[in-house]
Amino acid sequence: MVKGRQLNRLLFTDPETKQKVSDSKEMGFYKKQIRIALRNCGFINPENIEEYIARDGYAALGKALSEMTPEEVIKEIIASGLRGRGGGGFPTGLKWDITRKVQAEQKYVVCNADEGDPGAFMDRSILEGDPHAVLEAMAINGYCTGASKGLIYIRAEYPLAITRLKIAINQAREYGLLGNNIMGTGFDFDVEIRYGAGAFVCGEETSLIHSMEGNRGEPTVKPPFPSESGYKGMPTNVNNVETYANIPVILLEGSAWFSSIGTEKSKGTKVFALAGKVNNVGLIEVPMGITLREVIFEIGGGIKDGKKFKAVQTGGPSGGCLTEKHLDIPIDYDNLLAHGSMMGSGGMIVMDEDDCMVSMAKFYLEFTVEESCGKCAPCRIGNKRLYEMLETISEGKGTEADLTRLRNLAYVIKDTSLCGLGQTSPNPVLSTLENFQDEYNEHVKDKKCRAGQCKSLMQYVITEDLCVGCTLCSRVCPVDAIAGEKKQVHLINQELCIKCGACMDKCKFKAISIQ
Amino acid sequence: MANIKLPAHKVEELKEVCKQFDHQGSELINVLHAAQGLFGYLPAEVQELVANELNLPLAHVYGVVTFYSFFSMTPKGEFPISICMGTACYVRGAEKVLDEFKRLLNVKVGETTPDGKYSVSCLRCVGACGLAPVVTVGEKVYGRVTADDVKGIIAEYNS
Ligand SMILES: Cc1cc2nc3c(=O)[nH]c(=O)nc-3n(C[C@H](O)[C@H](O)[C@H](O)COP(=O)(O)O)c2cc1C
Ligand code: SF4
Ligand code: SF4
Ligand code: FES
């Protein structure tokens, strides 16, 4: 545990949650969680392989190599019901089996550590806190699929994770757990690191492969799937970090145990990065089938500052907003999809009454517009047009016809884009249109933004009765938009005001409000 | 474009890096990471050098450099300020913080102050969402930043 604390100091997000949970919220925060993928994070020193080994590390690899055939391992993974944690939810065992069955001289095992969803950091935490778990699982995958080379594609923005991985790879080689003739069984497997360079689309598996080959990370049409033809044209098994982190536990504890957790079609746990307007933020690992209400109000400790819950966004830029009426739905891949969102990689952003849903959709779209690789027209041009329409609406210049056009274009982009980025990019727009129709209507008909976020639609005004003429507001105003003599009622010049809100924050008499 | 004279010892170092990667074209991204580490950015001259060393068309190198946002063709300020615009930070008010940096330094996103001291850019989720909104200056991370803190942060580097 001393070592555990040492780690927490380095993982700078952790002390945060630790502090938060050490007060009265402690019970709620931990009670509903089950730690499988995060089992070692915070409990071992990730730079010391012996601590990993002491917690049954590399025992699953040993078991696979000495007691099981590749087919048996794959059968066990299939029976566990594990599905890909990188977003798609494809059955992991099945993917391994496909790669295994393709005949080729060389095959590759790839770990997708690109984690581009803004607001998500579970893969980073696993790599920083438990890098050997990923290496062990990749080696097991190599044994099953017949690959002797592993590649980890990691974002350059994660320097600590990269350092920890390098240390882990070197230590594993020293201990004979990577390299030639692993554990004396004749099995060869080694791992290399490849760096991303800040392109969200490189998380998509075909882009990722092109990027590893030294090219622009543009996706290509599937099929062929990487399992058939991937890195350098060879069969390549791509899995996500968190997917790998589950593998050793499944082999040691058995598929029956793993599949006893979760819902009918989604087994095990999922790590979420809980963020936004909740009291407890941070990484959580919960069983599939838990409800959003439990996550937000019990683990998350409810909404910050006693405000009212409005929506929760899952699945990042590919996902959608869920609302009050979805709070009691069990979270799993299929339920989230059925309600217009998706599991995605695990970002979970909670929003309250101060968040405008049009702005939210615009925020995600801005992201997509910037990250679209530009290869296909619906995504490159269509998303830009969607963004412009949302901009018009948030400036109060939209019409009802715009709402219809918004919806139609969104469906066209979904249906005709080449890769998953374009196919899912309109989801934030569609789900907010569906769930917050009245808020869109207010923007176009009444020219109002009830959350007060759309700057063009709001005005800061001083209430005469409350203003005592203290001059504080006119002194903080960065553009000298406030006029008024000492002890006289002040007035804001709307033409000059840049709507920064500084005056409202400063006024001690609550005389300034948004209209 | 005016030609820049690259420091000779850094050119040698970059050539050494290319050699380590066996002059393989498929190692282009790794080489560019190293080059940016050496020169701070990737001006046309560096791209030409890399293209020659790896035996790739210059257009291919340029294509890759411009595709990835991590690679930059303009020099950064002495103190590069990055404001996280990831979802968690956005929801917790990163935009106001960004506006304040832009206002106080009088630059736009992606620009450097005329004295070369500060540059302002936006980042996507640095993985510290628990501390949102997050600002980084060089390697230093500031959490829970409000618009009021901005002045103080700039002042820390103003000596
Ligand atoms: C635009 C886009 C971005 C993606 N980003 C990631 C990512 O950051 N990490 C990841 O593991 N998978 C990402 N994926 C999913 C991968 O394409 C792939 O399905 C996944 O890595 C497979 O691993 P899994 O089956 O273990 O989930 C992304 C997909 C798309 C379309
Ligand atoms: S959908 Fe977008 S990201 Fe995907 S290939 Fe087309 S342009 Fe590129
Ligand atoms: S909102 Fe900002 S710009 Fe407008 S009056 Fe208040 S302080 Fe001045
Ligand atoms: S969104 Fe800013 S650190 Fe994650």
Side-chain angles (χ1 to χ4, degrees):
Chain A
M1 277 315 280
V2 180
K3 294 258 167 50
R5 228 177 290 137
Q6 195 178 341
L7 169 84
N8 287 332
R9 193 158 40 84
L10 296 168
L11 261 173
F12 63 31
T13 46
D14 246 5
E16 256 314 301
T17 46
K18 287 275 144 59
Q19 267 170 21
K20 280 260 147 79
V21 299
S22 60
D23 60 39
S24 61
K25 303 287 183 336
E26 190 152 18
M27 282 310 286
F29 191 80
Y30 279 128
K31 210 171 65 190
K32 302 259 162 163
Q33 298 199 48
I34 302 178
R35 301 218 152 196
I36 298 176
L38 299 177
R39 63 192 174 281
N40 291 329
C41 290
F43 293 103
I44 61 168
N45 174 355
E47 299 187 4
N48 184 348
I49 190 172
E50 303 219 340
E51 294 197 16
Y52 179 67
I53 292 172
R55 286 175 66 104
D56 290 333
Y58 291 101
L61 177 62
K63 183 176 174 186
L65 291 181
S66 60
E67 297 169 24
M68 300 169 85
T69 64
E71 289 84 351
E72 281 167 353
V73 177
I74 291 179
K75 225 168 129 192
E76 193 69 4
I77 307 288
I78 291 178
S80 76
L82 177 66
R83 295 169 66 176
R85 301 295 194 240
F90 191 83
T92 306
L94 221 55
K95 189 186 278 185
W96 291 23
D97 200 38
I98 296 170
T99 319
R100 190 184 70 82
K101 284 184 177 143
V102 183
Q103 297 292 326
E105 257 170 54
Q106 176 73 55
K107 296 182 190 176
Y108 295 94
V109 173
V110 169
C111 172
N112 186 343
D114 196 41
E115 194 159 62
D117 172 1
F121 53 100
M122 33 285 143
D123 294 350
R124 168 189 173 152
S125 302
I126 292 170
L127 292 169
E128 287 180 0
D130 196 14
H132 285 288
V134 175
L135 298 180
E136 180 180 5
M138 288 177 74
I140 294 171
N141 186 338
Y143 174 65
C144 292
T145 56
S148 61
K149 277 202 95 158
L151 297 160
I152 301 176
Y153 185 86
I154 184 166
R155 320 174 61 189
E157 289 90 335
Y158 284 179
L160 182 61
I162 293 172
T163 310
R164 294 253 163 94
L165 266 176
K166 283 185 182 159
I167 295 172
I169 291 171
N170 283 333
Q171 287 184 345
R173 284 181 188 149
E174 264 171 48
Y175 279 68
L177 298 165
L178 283 180
N180 288 337
N181 194 15
I182 293 173
M183 296 181 186
T185 59
F187 169 61
D188 304 337
F189 189 79
D190 210 346
V191 174
E192 267 178 46
I193 303 178
R194 291 297 156 92
Y195 305 106
F200 174 66
V201 72
C202 285
E204 198 279 336
E205 50 194 5
T206 61
S207 302
L208 182 141
I209 288 166
H210 298 310
S211 179
M212 289 198 306
E213 291 167 342
N215 296 317
R216 287 165 72 95
E218 286 167 359
T220 38
V221 182
K222 294 187 274 190
F225 288 91
S227 300
E228 299 152 350
S229 169
Y231 186 64
K232 298 189 174 162
M234 295 297 169
T236 304
N237 186 99
V238 183
N239 275 126
N240 163 265
V241 173
E242 189 186 332
T243 313
Y244 282 124
N246 279 292
I247 299 288
V249 190
I250 292 174
L251 288 193
L252 291 180
E253 303 287 329
S255 58
W257 166 79
F258 189 82
S259 61
S260 70
I261 305 165
T263 63
E264 195 197 333
K265 287 189 178 147
S266 304
K267 301 298 186 189
T269 57
K270 178 77 193 87
V271 183
F272 288 101
L274 187 60
K277 308 280 182 59
V278 275
N279 281 312
N280 305 328
V281 293
L283 276 198
I284 59 168
E285 182 168 354
V286 289
M288 297 277 189
I290 195 170
T291 64
L292 284 168
R293 187 183 301 281
E294 287 170 287
V295 170
I296 297 168
F297 291 93
E298 292 182 36
I299 299 174
I303 307 299
K304 253 178 94 97
D305 305 327
K307 299 253 178 170
K308 201 167 165 309
F309 167 81
K310 186 168 192 174
V312 52
Q313 166 90 13
T314 65
S318 312
C321 279
L322 298 168
T323 65
E324 189 87 48
K325 67 173 191 266
H326 302 114
L327 281 177
D328 292 311
I329 294 168
I331 303 176
D332 69 8
Y333 291 97
D334 312 282
N335 273 337
L336 289 181
L337 261 184
H339 292 91
S341 186
M342 60 184 261
M343 184 74 82
S345 54
M348 191 179 270
I349 313 276
V350 180
M351 287 165 267
D352 68 9
E353 52 196 312
D354 294 338
D355 291 304
C356 163
M357 290 299 119
V358 179
S359 302
M360 210 55 216
K362 201 173 83 177
F363 169 79
Y364 280 111
L365 224 51
E366 187 182 359
F367 177 86
T368 330
V369 167
E370 233 171 82
E371 295 297 338
S372 164
C373 81
K375 182 168 177 170
C376 67
C379 172
R380 180 183 70 239
I381 306 170
N383 280 315
K384 180 91 183 153
R385 291 292 104 85
L386 274 188
Y387 178 77
E388 287 164 359
M389 283 186 209
L390 288 174
E391 216 168 24
T392 317
I393 294 170
S394 68
E395 280 168 4
K397 297 178 195 147
T399 62
E400 276 172 83
D402 282 333
L403 297 186
T404 318
R405 290 200 316 184
L406 200 62
R407 187 176 274 118
N408 289 346
L409 180 56
Y411 281 115
V412 172
I413 297 171
K414 255 177 107 73
D415 291 343
T416 55
S417 290
L418 190 156
C419 86
L421 193 151
Q423 286 157 11
T424 57
S425 61
N427 286 351
V429 179
L430 287 171
S431 72
T432 46
L433 266 176
E434 165 80 24
N435 293 316
F436 296 96
Q437 175 85 45
D438 45 343
E439 230 172 281
Y440 276 88
N441 283 339
E442 274 171 22
H443 278 76
V444 296
K445 283 196 215 150
D446 314 334
K447 311 292 176 201
K448 269 207 141 136
C449 171
R450 66 168 86 164
Q453 255 199 335
C454 294
K455 284 187 182 172
S456 313
L457 297 182
M458 65 192 204
Q459 283 192 340
Y460 284 89
V461 288
I462 299 178
T463 313
E464 276 185 35
D465 298 349
L466 295 174
C467 177
V468 299
C470 72
T471 74
L472 212 54
C473 59
S474 73
R475 276 183 281 151
V476 297
C477 179
V479 292
D480 291 329
I482 307 183
E485 294 299 314
K486 214 171 174 183
K487 304 229 171 111
Q488 300 286 312
V489 172
H490 282 49
L491 186 73
I492 299 177
N493 181 337
Q494 297 300 340
E495 306 239 300
L496 293 179
C497 172
I498 55 165
K499 292 159 187 169
C500 71
C503 55
M504 189 165 95
D505 292 344
K506 270 275 150 32
C507 180
K508 293 192 186 109
F509 306 93
K510 295 201 162 61
I512 303 178
S513 57
I514 300 176
Q515 271 188 5
Chain B
M1 189 196 267
N3 267 11
I4 317 170
K5 186 92 185 78
L6 300 175
H9 67 283
K10 288 194 178 174
V11 169
E12 284 314 308
E13 239 180 284
L14 182 55
K15 284 185 178 166
E16 189 53 38
V17 170
C18 295
K19 205 167 128 197
Q20 272 168 24
F21 286 115
D22 234 5
H23 302 279
Q24 290 280 323
S26 58
E27 299 288 350
L28 176 61
I29 293 176
N30 281 338
V31 171
L32 290 174
H33 272 296
Q36 184 154 304
L38 273 172
F39 295 94
Y41 68 119
L42 299 170
E45 291 74 10
V46 171
Q47 296 180 38
E48 267 167 42
L49 185 70
V50 170
N52 280 336
E53 288 295 310
L54 301 185
N55 208 5
L56 292 169
L58 181 56
H60 178 79
V61 175
Y62 178 75
V64 168
V65 169
T66 49
F67 185 86
Y68 296 97
S69 63
F70 198 83
F71 297 133
S72 162
M73 290 173 53
T74 46
K76 277 193 178 159
E78 188 185 345
F79 302 107
I81 300 169
S82 303
I83 295 95
C84 177
M85 279 285 161
T87 320
C89 291
Y90 176 82
V91 170
R92 291 220 170 155
E95 212 176 3
K96 277 192 179 163
V97 175
L98 173 65
D99 284 346
E100 189 69 359
F101 272 110
K102 290 199 302 201
R103 193 177 70 79
L104 289 176
L105 295 172
N106 197 20
V107 289
K108 294 202 191 83
V109 174
E111 287 182 353
T112 305
T113 50
D115 60 2
K117 210 156 171 185
Y118 303 101
S119 54
V120 175
S121 63
C122 291
L123 276 182
R124 288 276 148 66
C125 192
V126 292
C129 311
L131 299 175
V134 174
V135 169
T136 63
V137 182
E139 305 267 286
K140 189 157 178 200
V141 180
Y142 297 83
R144 299 260 154 85
V145 180
T146 64
D148 288 340
D149 301 335
V150 169
K151 212 172 188 169
I153 294 176
I154 296 174
E156 274 182 47
Y157 300 88
N158 211 347
S159 50

